[in-house]
Amino acid sequence: MAPLTRTEHVQVDGGEISAHAALPPSGTGPGIVVLHEIFGVNEYVQDACRRLAELGYYALAPDLFWRTEPGLSLRHDEDGLTHGMAAAQRLDFATAVSDAIAALGALRALPEVSADGRAGVLGFCLGGTFAYQVAVQDEPDAAVCYYGSGIPDALHSAGAIACPTLLQFGGADPFIPREQVDRVAAMAAGREEIECHVHEGAGHAFDNHLAPMFHDPEAAAHAWELTRGFLARALPLRRRQAAD
């Protein structure tokens, strides 16, 4: 049976963010804010929420384009890529990070998120960069960042990250030069709470199974196993359930 889904609303300065939510089968669990790619909260992002819900997490994907192009949901083709890149350029980065942090706070307050309010953040591509910044600027209980292209230029802020953090990159990503990926890996090697995995031969957005131009099934499967294991350690379900 597919997880129950619904729409949540997050109050922020200037208005209200619509967010897709997927509930775990148990009805309660740790929370994870899912931050979308340039394609918006589309079928792929909703499926990522489903996958997390099936692991036992309450997944919430806020529409970070709500201020400029609310409800954006693009196909994974050349037109969608062009549209998405233009939408990302119109996005105010700092405000989007603030909106993501607000979504994390709103998620923690939901009754379906267990009593201790532990919640993390997970992002893909554009959302991977936002997830990193949420870890820098706020206090998520865990962060997972898939191929965030803005991470290499923000390594000076890594010292502010206190939560367990998992960074994943493709070793052959044409949008993130290998030299930049190696700098991220070197930073992580010196930090006990930060892990970095480079999937050799994989390109950008390798997890996106709805984007034939990007998807790498082997890398995606390996990365998801790493993500699942990381979340089991950083946001274990048994801790949440014991607190209820």
Side-chain angles (χ1 to χ4, degrees):
M1 180 181 296
L4 175 67
T5 63
R6 67 190 188 201
T7 300
E8 296 285 0
H9 299 281
V10 178
Q11 301 299 321
V12 296
D13 288 342
E16 181 180 83
I17 305 175
S18 176
H20 174 81
L23 284 68
S26 66
T28 185
I32 297 180
V33 174
V34 180
L35 301 176
H36 58 74
E37 301 174 312
I38 63 172
F39 302 101
V41 183
N42 59 7
E43 185 179 353
Y44 165 67
V45 172
Q46 293 178 24
D47 186 69
C49 290
R50 175 194 61 79
R51 287 188 282 162
L52 290 165
E54 289 177 347
L55 294 180
Y57 299 95
Y58 187 116
L60 184 75
D63 175 14
L64 297 180
F65 286 135
W66 76 279
R67 296 177 187 271
T68 54
E69 198 166 349
L72 186 66
S73 177
L74 299 173
R75 294 178 61 86
H76 301 97
D77 53 23
E78 291 297 336
D79 289 341
L81 184 62
T82 299
H83 189 162
M85 291 180 70
Q89 290 175 354
R90 291 193 298 272
L91 198 64
D92 182 85
F93 186 88
T95 301
V97 173
S98 295
D99 286 346
I101 291 172
L104 178 63
L107 177 60
R108 283 175 161 154
L110 291 176
E112 294 86 357
V113 174
S114 310
D116 59 0
R118 285 173 58 83
V121 61
L122 183 152
F124 301 97
C125 194
L126 174 68
T129 299
F130 288 145
Y132 178 87
Q133 286 297 331
V134 171
V136 168
Q137 299 181 35
D138 198 56
E139 298 180 351
D141 292 292
V144 180
C145 310
Y146 276 74
Y147 30 78
S149 62
I151 294 175
D153 289 333
L155 296 183
H156 61 280
S157 301
I161 297 176
C163 68
T165 299
L166 173 63
L167 310 174
Q168 303 206 62
F169 292 91
D173 190 329
F175 298 101
I176 310 176
R178 184 56 187 260
E179 177 272 331
Q180 294 185 12
V181 173
D182 289 342
R183 285 198 289 113
V184 176
M187 176 277 295
R191 295 288 301 275
E192 183 177 351
E193 69 278 15
I194 301 178
E195 304 175 31
C196 181
H197 292 271
V198 179
H199 301 270
E200 298 297 344
H204 195 68
F206 58 76
D207 181 73
N208 194 330
H209 61 282
L210 296 181
M213 69 180 80
F214 295 126
H215 187 221
D216 184 321
E218 183 176 352
H222 184 211
W224 187 249
E225 285 304 308
L226 291 172
T227 296
R228 184 167 67 173
F230 170 81
L231 291 174
R233 298 189 301 274
L235 287 175
L237 302 183
R238 62 181 179 274
R239 289 184 57 186
R240 301 289 301 188
Q241 293 164 353
D244 290 345

